[in-house]
Amino acid sequence: MTQTGQKVNYQKKLEEIIAAQQKEGKVPKLLLHSCCAPCSSYVLEYLSEYFEITVLYYNPNISPASEYEARVAEQKRLIEELPVKHPVAFLEGVYEPECFYRAVAGQEDCPEGGERCTVCYEMRLRKAAETAARLGFAFFTTTLSISPLKNAEKLNAIGRTLSEEYKVSYLYSDFKKKNGYQRSVELSVQYHLYRQNYCGCIFSKEEQRKRQAEQEDGMHETE
């Protein structure tokens, strides 16, 4: 929210940044943090028209390791198969789940979307900002805002703070806008992407398990 209480239109801010870059005849280099192939599908389709993209896959929150490996494989496959105007490269971060557990210690019982998730967003975006600054990218951003369950306001606030800290521009976004989420679903079907049913961490997996159990109990009660 702004100081006046008005909600920021991050899609409009993104379009303004793109327009300014095009006016200058630039195709900037963008480091795009991705949480998974399905979420990145629309984002890559959209942004590759205007940027040279390197996908950073840094997600130490994902559990178990087999799930992490499956998501990495799908991310690589999508990059290979998706037609794009400008090049898209892949950069895998270190899989270090101990860093995630250390960061969220004491917040294990927070509901999904709460403070634990905010810490996780900051951890992954910090790695993106640090990597973008070190490797000389013009911008960094994340696919996370495409999810209807993710708070774009929080994500962009974190990005803004890290941009100032690392001296690299943050690409403001709310990728669920303009039917972005729906397009990601369509692309996932088109490319037969593996779509997981939980965010990634062991806590979200347990919450999903509980929701499914409650739904099944409700169905039994109506039979």
Side-chain angles (χ1 to χ4, degrees):
M1 303 288 285
T2 64
Q3 290 182 347
T4 60
Q6 295 180 334
K7 195 169 184 179
V8 177
N9 186 331
Y10 290 106
Q11 175 62 33
K12 184 177 180 181
K13 287 177 72 72
L14 170 59
E15 291 171 357
E16 289 171 351
I17 293 170
I18 289 173
Q21 297 299 309
Q22 287 190 300
K23 187 175 181 180
E24 295 180 16
K26 294 181 178 179
V27 181
K29 292 186 177 181
L30 166 68
L31 187 72
L32 174 66
H33 166 264
S34 174
C35 53
C36 63
C39 286
S40 73
S41 57
Y42 162 73
V43 180
L44 289 172
E45 180 184 66
Y46 176 25
L47 293 184
S48 63
E49 288 287 312
Y50 312 105
F51 298 89
E52 285 188 20
I53 300 173
T54 294
V55 172
L56 173 65
Y57 199 85
Y58 176 73
N59 298 290
N61 57 306
I62 295 176
S63 179
S66 57
E67 176 74 17
Y68 172 86
E69 292 163 0
R71 297 193 193 193
V72 168
E74 283 295 82
Q75 184 69 74
K76 290 180 178 178
R77 181 171 70 83
L78 176 64
I79 291 172
E80 291 173 356
E81 297 181 8
L82 187 71
V84 292
K85 181 176 181 179
H86 295 110
V88 176
F90 179 78
L91 176 62
E92 184 177 356
V94 178
Y95 180 52
E96 42 190 10
E98 66 280 1
C99 290
F100 168 70
Y101 291 118
R102 187 163 56 246
V104 302
Q107 298 169 332
E108 293 86 350
D109 295 329
C110 287
E112 191 166 357
E115 184 58 28
R116 185 186 66 238
C117 292
T118 301
V119 171
C120 185
Y121 301 158
E122 199 274 345
M123 176 181 64
R124 290 183 281 172
L125 273 167
R126 178 173 292 280
K127 179 63 71 173
E130 181 275 323
T131 304
R134 176 167 50 84
L135 298 181
F137 284 82
F139 293 91
F140 76 101
T141 194
T142 179
T143 64
L144 286 167
S145 70
I146 199 169
S147 169
L149 300 177
K150 300 293 188 294
N151 187 315
E153 192 74 32
K154 285 184 179 180
L155 289 165
N156 284 283
I158 293 168
R160 179 172 58 250
T161 298
L162 293 173
S163 173
E164 294 170 355
E165 181 177 344
Y166 287 92
K167 311 303 180 187
V168 58
S169 295
Y170 181 71
L171 191 66
Y172 293 98
S173 60
D174 188 355
F175 292 119
K176 68 178 70 68
K177 300 292 187 181
K178 298 183 71 173
N179 293 318
Y181 175 72
Q182 181 57 39
R183 180 58 180 158
S184 75
V185 173
E186 294 169 358
L187 287 167
S188 296
V189 173
Q190 180 179 340
Y191 288 93
H192 307 287
L193 297 177
Y194 162 60
R195 288 183 66 86
Q196 61 286 341
N197 65 354
Y198 67 104
C199 178
C201 74
I202 192 171
F203 310 111
S204 64
K205 187 175 184 179
E206 177 60 17
E207 286 193 35
Q208 175 64 14
R209 186 196 66 76
K210 289 179 179 178
R211 283 194 294 268
Q212 288 180 333
E214 289 171 358
Q215 290 173 357
E216 291 172 1
D217 289 342
M219 290 175 62
H220 291 156
E221 289 175 0
T222 59
E223 290 178 354

